Amino acid sequence: MSRSESTSADAGKRTVLVVGCGSIGRRHIRLLSERPDTRVLACDHDPAILADAIRETPVEQSFNDLDAALAAAPEFVWVCTPDPAHEAVATPALRAGAHVFCEKPLAHTVESGRAIATVAQETGRTVGVGYVIRCEDGYQRIKQLLDNGELGTVVAGCVKVGAYDTLLNMKSGFITDRKDSIMLDYSHELDYLNWFLGPVAEVTATAASIGNLPLKPDPNVVAATLRFESGAVVSLHLNYVQLPSSRTIELFGDAGNLSYTIASGQIILQAHGAEAVTEIPVAGERDDWFRKEHQSFFDAVAAGQQPLVSAEDGVATLRVAEAVITAYRENRVVHLN
Ligand SMILES: NC(=O)c1ccc[n+]([C@@H]2O[C@H](COP(=O)([O-])OP(=O)(O)OC[C@H]3O[C@@H](n4cnc5c(N)ncnc54)[C@H](O)[C@@H]3O)[C@@H](O)[C@H]2O)c1
């Protein structure tokens, strides 16, 4: 149905096309469909996956072909295909006049991410990137604590993510092709560190493919040190080994420190020199992060403002991910400027 064919019941509703109806695409379809102000269309080039997705959450229209879907003139396109296919979906969507929300990472390479950012500039459309951790209550509170100066100057940090279940949830054919994918799967950490601490200046790293688990990409363990332009030094540890998964951040400042593990439901804040700690409760379930993410992107577009995570942020994160890969592959310090 084209925009002109919309019924009166649809008047005032925005139309969102979700492209890619796999794991994350279905979550977006389900949560966008809850909204009374939104009509949802779906597209997947695999007819069986599309049929399954729309059985789960019925949509107004569905397509196996991207060109046919874009001919329906959606105002928004949600790119939920695998990373190497983001550019091939995002750039025609932008040229068709849609604002694009692209699942993380923006693309599979810096070059491809820059291509998307360039088309966004040429078309004057907005691109947002799905680093949904920025919408998680705990990380939002940490951002407020930092902005309020509760830690003083942040001098260091330690960020850890381990998730064997990331691999268990994938098709095995996908895993064998996933050299260095650990840096893109966990690029959430690079994104929110940029949000908290600003740009990275240089990285060192080491990595391994080790252990006896049946699913073992190369690498499955990365230890990196990020030095930020601010001078702060952060240890980054990623592994595809831990089960159950875990995601933790500690930040150390000259006025205090904090720690947060996402499953714990609380941030522990301690002022410098104090015995006592403050426990800050964290609310919300995973679906709530995505609901906030949707609202934030719609609000940014309506106000003509930068989205929470811009295409430029997405490119900056890809640059750090590629720098870490170069650092552990070539065993050297990589400078970003
Ligand atoms: N924000 C998050 O926390 C989060 C979580 C999971 C995945 N992701 C990201 O979402 C993206 C998709 O991941 P997934 O796990 O849902 O993948 P998936 O393999 O489950 O689904 C991808 C779907 O895209 C379809 N597809 C591929 N190319 C297409 C094309 N050109 N046109 C139409 N359909 C196409 C496939 O048929 C498949 O159904 C990835 O970029 C991933 O990094 C983000």
Side-chain angles (χ1 to χ4, degrees), residues 86-117:
H86 285 186
E87 181 186 346
V89 176
T91 54
L94 290 164
R95 293 200 194 284
H99 301 287
V100 166
F101 184 87
C102 190
E103 256 309 338
K104 53 65 55 176
L106 176 60
H108 64 309
T109 62
V110 172
E111 191 187 4
S112 184
R114 282 196 174 125
I116 295 172

Side-chain angles (χ1 to χ4, degrees), residues 19-28 43-47 49-50 63-66 79-86 88-89 101-106 130-133 169-171 174 178 184-185 188 247 286 289-290 293:
V19 184
C21 302
S23 149
I24 202 75
R26 286 174 201 212
R27 187 186 289 268
H28 285 297
C43 173
D44 198 295
H45 63 188
D46 183 322
I49 290 175
L50 181 64
F63 307 84
N64 286 130
D65 176 70
L66 180 63
V79 180
C80 302
T81 55
D83 315 345
H86 285 186
V89 176
F101 184 87
C102 190
E103 256 309 338
K104 53 65 55 176
L106 176 60
Y131 282 113
V132 71
I133 298 281
N169 293 335
M170 280 169 193
K171 299 167 220 142
F174 197 28
R178 303 198 93 237
L184 296 183
D185 282 345
H188 284 290
R247 171 169 260 138
R286 197 172 172 83
W289 316 349
F290 288 88
E293 181 178 70

Side-chain angles (χ1 to χ4, degrees), residues 94-95 97-100 117-127 301 304:
L94 290 164
R95 293 200 194 284
H99 301 287
V100 166
T118 300
V119 177
Q121 273 174 3
E122 284 168 10
T123 56
R125 303 283 95 182
T126 302
V127 170
V301 169

Side-chain angles (χ1 to χ4, degrees), residues 146 150-157 251-258 270-272:
L146 295 173
E150 298 273 355
L151 300 195
T153 299
V154 175
V155 299
L251 291 175
F252 312 105
D254 57 12
N257 58 74
L258 65 78
Q270 188 168 36
H272 186 78

